[in-house]
Amino acid sequence: MVKGGISRYGWLILLLLLVGLASTGARLYVDWLWFDSLGFGSVFGTALVSKILVTTVAFLFAFAIIYVNLAVARRNVLRDQPPPVNDEGRSIIYLNPETPWQRWLGARVSGWILLAISLFLAFILASIVGGKWAVVLQYLNSVPFGKTDPVFNKDIGFYVFSLKFYRLLYGYLMGTLIIATICTALLYLMTVTFEVFFADWREFSYSKKHLAVLVAAILFLKAWGYKLAGYA
């Protein structure tokens, strides 16, 4: 029954994806016909390919960051589960038994749901970056102006092409790390490791180490953001 339910949901998701792809394909085809009638079919093709490539790269990177962190958090939570028996083989009765959330997290379906959440969040981030494909293309094809500013001794092309790209990259990376950190922290807080956040921080658990690495990455990236703000 569970397998049947999952299969039905899978077919429904596949059907929605096919409908969405068909609708998007039809809209793009109409746009291409209009551009081609004006003699700019190649321009539309270049813009479309560039947007697809930028969106794909942004999607894959964001998905990898979010999903890997969620998978590691899930593994750490399951590893922190108390043993059901002692060294003598006798069953251990705990005063705080396993919650339904913990049982669900240990099930295989939880892994698929975390995968779906990662895909959805990565798609949102990639869609935002994909809309700025022109900024990426300008950076990849940037040329120096031959003149420098008197303050930072940077070529004018840096402010026209590179700085906009760096700001876009900073916002994308910061958004990805913040989302990954929030999702990972929520996963830890909803499990038995909730109390470790209020214990002695000198006793580093898996959850503390994991979140500490994410926070350190955000702070390091923030330092780069301050450096970019200095050019404004």
Side-chain angles (χ1 to χ4, degrees):
M1 182 175 181
V2 175
K3 293 184 178 180
I6 296 176
S7 177
R8 288 194 297 269
Y9 286 125
W11 282 110
L12 178 61
I13 293 175
L14 180 60
L15 178 61
L16 292 176
L17 289 176
L18 291 176
V19 171
L21 289 175
S23 176
T24 302
R27 179 175 56 82
L28 291 175
Y29 179 68
V30 171
D31 291 340
W32 178 82
L33 289 176
W34 184 78
F35 275 92
D36 188 58
S37 65
L38 299 177
F40 295 103
S42 60
V43 176
F44 178 78
T46 301
L48 179 61
V49 172
S50 300
K51 184 175 182 178
I52 291 176
L53 289 177
V54 171
T55 303
T56 301
V57 173
F59 172 80
L60 292 177
F61 181 82
F63 168 74
I65 294 297
I66 297 174
Y67 180 71
V68 167
N69 279 281
L70 290 179
V72 170
R74 178 173 178 263
R75 185 193 64 182
N76 290 339
V77 168
L78 296 179
R79 182 166 54 183
D80 286 341
Q81 294 292 336
V85 295
N86 57 16
D87 296 336
E88 299 177 355
R90 298 180 180 179
S91 299
I92 302 176
I93 300 177
Y94 294 94
L95 297 179
N96 297 318
E98 189 179 42
T99 64
W101 167 256
Q102 295 168 354
R103 287 194 297 270
W104 175 86
L105 197 60
R108 179 179 299 181
V109 67
S110 64
W112 290 104
I113 293 179
L114 294 180
L115 175 65
I117 293 175
S118 302
L119 289 172
F120 175 72
L121 294 175
F123 175 77
I124 294 177
L125 291 167
S127 299
I128 297 174
V129 176
K132 303 290 185 179
W133 61 270
V135 176
V136 180
L137 211 61
Q138 289 173 358
Y139 171 77
L140 295 177
N141 297 277
S142 61
V143 293
F145 278 51
K147 294 184 179 180
T148 58
D149 73 281
V151 179
F152 298 104
N153 198 29
K154 293 268 187 189
D155 188 89
I156 302 301
F158 170 81
Y159 300 97
V160 177
F161 304 113
S162 301
L163 186 57
K164 292 192 297 184
F165 171 75
Y166 292 150
R167 287 174 176 171
L168 174 64
L169 182 62
Y170 167 77
Y172 164 72
L173 293 177
M174 181 62 75
T176 302
L177 286 176
I178 289 177
I179 289 176
T181 303
I182 292 176
C183 293
T184 303
L186 288 176
L187 190 61
Y188 281 127
L189 288 172
M190 291 180 180
T191 61
V192 70
T193 56
F194 176 83
E195 64 272 7
V196 301
F197 292 94
F198 303 96
D200 189 356
W201 274 86
R202 291 173 296 182
E203 300 177 1
F204 283 92
S205 62
Y206 294 119
S207 56
K208 291 178 184 178
K209 292 178 181 178
H210 189 180
L211 292 178
V213 170
L214 289 174
V215 172
I218 292 176
L219 294 178
F220 180 80
L221 188 61
K222 186 64 178 177
W224 185 46
Y226 283 128
K227 183 177 180 179
L228 293 178
Y231 296 114

